[in-house]
């Protein structure tokens, strides 16, 4: 049974097309003078501060406060926009992505990533491919075209690293076993997504013909970039940072590590990868040095400021009047991707050696929730080669908004899952039959 929802979405795609256009616009815009930039920045910070005070008093996640602040200052909120140049948010948002992922990378030296490398690949491959295939057929059933379904499926198969990691940090779960797994899986997932995107673009540009050469080039670029950073960069960069760290000049250390972070982010972007990948790998190199703690401390304030603007930019681009018209197809795609990701990841980890049920559930919930920056990159790439219709951006805009709102509550729910002490098996019960042990084992929740 087919529901031509894409036809309905098409009617409302022009207003929401600006969601993707503004996030990825690189041109100059009217009213982009320094005076307006300062005014916009002042409005953003003041409104964000007010909303954070309110959400803090209500004991709600900060991400929600940032999104609400963006909605208040955005161009679609009546009676008028409080900011003059919405496109300036794009620049700040990209800085936020880079700073957030860089600081997170400083928590994960190569040895720590290697410890979850194998299981990350084992989980990410079936999870990414499985979600992509399932969402593709659901999108087809909803009446989307072949290429619309293809790019929508790829976008929905990618977890937002920025949103997920920020919330895990806020909940104090950044060093949790499930968080290390989530980061490992998202890195592999991003690599799979970028490689698959290159394949899809090649197929679309060649009118459905698969270019083996283009596919090989895409895979080779990704492997060479990550391999050269981890193998070559890890030998020299940490030593350089340590020598600079011995000077005790924090300003010098800050400039050097920011140069590394933005340099690798730029290199990643030029190669067609996500800036988040380059920033995270820069953080990993810094984590290999003895000055990692200093680097983390001096960059955290910058991370907090620009990460806040990233979430505010999402809120600012929300046109509330069109959400009811797009919510049905968006929710169907969200539920499909959430269920497939959660079930596949949890099922694999439950059977994997060394991972308990709690870790499996938390990892599944963390990976299944958020969609965001890279999903929009996928849509933009599809648009660049003329493969998708204008209905895809509005759908993914609503998906990003909805999932960003629900992710804090989903992850918080996962953090409260505990094994009830009264139901834990005693030493005598360990010798009993597996069937009886399974009956005695169940989850409890700490509210």
């Amino acid at each position: 049974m087919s529901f031509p929802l894409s036809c309905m979405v098409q009617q409302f795609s022009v207003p929401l097309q600006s969601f993707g256009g503004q996030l990825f616009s690189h041109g100059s815009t009217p009213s982009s003078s320094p005076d307006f930039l300062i005014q916009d920045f002042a409005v953003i910070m003041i409104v964000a501060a007010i909303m954070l005070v309110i959400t803090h008093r209500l004991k709600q996640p900060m991400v929600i406060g940032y999104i609400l602040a963006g909605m208040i200052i955005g161009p679609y909120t009546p009676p008028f926009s409080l900011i003059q140049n919405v496109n300036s948010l794009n620049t700040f948002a990209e800085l936020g992505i880079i700073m957030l992922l860089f600081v997170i990378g400083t928590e994960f030296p190569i040895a720590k990533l290697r410890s979850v490398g194998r299981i990350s690949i084992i989980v990410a491959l079936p999870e990414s491919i499985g979600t992509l295939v399932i969402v593709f057929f659901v999108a087809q059933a909803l009446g989307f075209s072949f290429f619309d379904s293809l790019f929508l499926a790829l976008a929905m198969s990618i977890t937002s690293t920025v949103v997920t990691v920020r919330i895990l940090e806020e909940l104090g779960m950044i060093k949790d076993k499930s968080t290390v797994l989530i980061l490992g899986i998202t890195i592999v997932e991003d690599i799979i997504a970028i490689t698959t995107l290159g394949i899809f673009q090649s197929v679309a540009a060649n009118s459905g013909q698969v270019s083996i050469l283009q596919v090989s080039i895409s895979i080779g670029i990704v492997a060479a970039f990550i391999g050269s950073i981890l193998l070559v960069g890890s030998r020299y960069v940490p030593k350089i940072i340590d020598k600079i760290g011995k000077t005790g000049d924090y300003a010098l250390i800050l400039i050097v590590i920011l140069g590394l972070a933005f340099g690798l982010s730029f290199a990643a972007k030029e190669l067609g990868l996500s800036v988040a990948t380059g920033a995270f790998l820069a953080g990993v190199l810094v984590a290999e040095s003895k000055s990692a703690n200093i680097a983390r401390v001096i960059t955290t304030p910058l991370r907090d400021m620009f990460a806040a603007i990233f979430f505010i930019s999402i809120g600012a681009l929300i046109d509330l009047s069109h959400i009811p018209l797009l919510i049905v197809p968006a929710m169907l795609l969200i539920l499909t991707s959430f269920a497939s990701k959660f079930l596949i990841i949890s099922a694999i980890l439950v059977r994997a050696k060394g991972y308990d049920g709690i870790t499996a559930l938390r990892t599944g919930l963390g990976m299944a929730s958020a969609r965001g920056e890279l999903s929009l990159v996928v849509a933009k790439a599809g648009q660049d080669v003329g493969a998708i219709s204008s209905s895809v951006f509005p759908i993914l805009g609503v998906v990003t908004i909805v999932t960003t709102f629900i992710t804090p509550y989903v992850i918080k729910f996962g953090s409260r899952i505990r094994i009830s002490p009264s139901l834990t098996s005693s030493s005598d019960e360990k010798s009993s039959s597996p069937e009886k042990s399974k009956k005695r084992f169940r989850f409890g929740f700490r509210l």
Side-chain angles (χ1 to χ4, degrees):
M1 186 175 181
S2 176
F3 300 93
L5 288 174
S6 58
C7 297
M8 180 189 73
V9 173
Q10 188 80 22
Q11 301 173 36
F12 308 102
S13 61
V14 175
L16 284 181
Q17 184 72 21
S18 59
F19 187 97
Q22 288 171 359
L23 274 178
F24 297 101
S25 171
H26 299 287
S28 61
T29 59
S31 68
S32 58
S33 69
D35 290 338
F36 282 123
L37 186 64
I38 294 169
Q39 175 185 320
D40 289 346
F41 195 78
V43 169
I44 289 168
M45 290 293 102
I46 292 169
V47 175
I50 294 170
M51 292 309 302
L52 279 186
V53 170
I54 295 172
T55 52
H56 178 73
R57 293 193 61 128
L58 295 175
K59 297 182 179 179
Q60 297 302 308
M62 286 192 296
V63 173
I64 302 300
Y66 292 142
I67 295 175
L68 291 175
M71 292 170 66
I72 291 171
I73 68 175
Y76 302 112
T77 304
F80 53 83
S81 174
L82 294 177
I83 55 175
Q84 298 294 324
N85 181 18
V86 179
N87 284 344
S88 63
L89 285 173
N90 176 45
T91 303
F92 291 130
E94 195 159 41
L95 291 174
I97 292 172
I98 292 170
M99 291 307 304
L100 177 59
L101 268 297
F102 171 74
V103 175
I104 293 303
T106 61
E107 297 271 5
F108 294 91
I110 294 173
K112 196 171 186 179
L113 289 176
R114 194 181 292 120
S115 68
V116 295
R118 184 171 173 273
I119 189 65
S120 296
I121 296 172
I122 291 172
V123 172
L125 276 172
E127 172 263 313
S128 296
I129 297 171
T131 302
L132 191 152
V133 171
I134 293 169
V135 174
F136 172 79
F137 284 112
V138 170
Q140 288 275 278
L142 291 173
F144 289 96
S145 68
F146 176 81
F147 279 113
D148 280 359
S149 301
L150 209 58
F151 281 88
L152 271 173
L154 179 58
M156 295 301 296
S157 71
I158 309 167
T159 299
S160 173
T161 309
V162 175
V163 175
T164 305
V165 167
R166 186 70 183 93
I167 293 164
L168 288 167
E169 268 197 321
E170 193 176 321
L171 294 174
M173 295 176 61
I174 198 62
K175 293 185 179 181
D176 192 82
K177 191 174 183 179
S178 62
T179 300
V180 179
L181 264 176
I182 288 171
L183 275 167
I185 296 168
T186 53
I187 291 170
V188 178
E189 189 179 74
D190 286 354
I191 294 169
I192 294 170
I194 294 299
T195 305
T196 306
L197 180 60
I199 296 171
F200 285 2
Q201 283 184 300
S202 175
V203 172
N206 290 285
S207 303
Q209 300 295 320
V210 179
S211 172
I212 302 299
L213 177 61
Q214 187 63 41
V215 171
S216 302
I217 291 173
S218 298
I219 296 173
I221 288 173
V222 173
F225 179 69
I226 295 175
S228 61
I229 290 174
L230 295 182
L231 295 177
V232 180
S234 61
R235 290 187 178 183
Y236 304 104
V237 172
K239 294 177 182 178
I240 295 172
I241 293 172
D242 284 335
K243 285 183 179 179
I244 295 170
K246 288 178 181 178
T247 64
D249 189 335
Y250 287 173
L252 179 60
I253 298 170
L254 178 63
I255 297 302
V256 169
I257 60 178
L258 287 181
L260 176 65
F262 284 95
L264 288 183
S265 297
F266 174 74
K269 189 170 186 177
E270 288 298 298
L271 292 172
L273 304 174
S274 167
V275 293
T277 302
F280 181 82
L281 291 173
V284 171
L285 293 182
V286 173
E288 291 293 300
S289 71
K290 297 175 183 177
S291 305
N293 289 332
I294 297 173
R296 196 178 305 119
V297 169
I298 61 179
T299 54
T300 294
L302 289 173
R303 183 275 318 266
D304 289 341
M305 180 181 72
F306 287 114
I309 296 176
F310 169 77
F311 294 106
I312 290 170
S313 70
I314 293 177
L317 297 174
I318 297 175
D319 188 347
L320 292 174
S321 64
H322 293 292
I323 289 180
L325 303 168
L326 303 170
I327 199 69
V328 173
M331 286 305 297
L332 287 172
L333 293 173
I334 290 170
L335 289 172
T336 302
S337 64
F338 184 97
S340 59
K341 274 178 169 286
F342 175 73
L343 292 174
I344 293 171
I345 292 171
S346 300
I348 294 172
L349 288 178
V350 163
R351 289 170 173 77
K353 203 173 182 181
Y355 297 96
D356 55 34
I358 300 295
T359 301
L361 288 174
R362 287 180 181 173
T363 305
L365 289 171
M367 287 295 300
S369 306
R371 307 291 174 271
E373 66 286 346
L374 200 51
S375 297
L376 295 171
V377 169
V378 168
K380 181 64 167 58
Q383 188 184 61
D384 288 343
V385 295
I388 62 173
S389 65
S390 56
S391 63
V392 173
F393 253 130
I395 287 287
L396 289 177
V398 175
V399 166
T400 300
I401 295 159
V402 173
T403 57
T404 305
F405 262 110
I406 66 173
T407 297
Y409 302 105
V410 172
I411 294 179
K412 186 179 284 188
F413 171 79
S415 71
R416 291 175 175 174
I417 298 176
R418 297 285 188 274
I419 297 176
S420 179
S422 61
L423 298 172
T424 306
S425 299
S426 64
S427 56
D428 293 334
E429 292 172 332
K430 287 179 182 177
S431 60
S432 60
S433 66
E435 291 77 10
K436 291 182 180 179
S437 295
K438 286 181 180 178
K439 289 179 181 178
R440 278 189 292 267
F441 178 81
R442 73 175 186 224
F443 296 107
F445 297 90
R446 179 173 59 80
L447 299 176

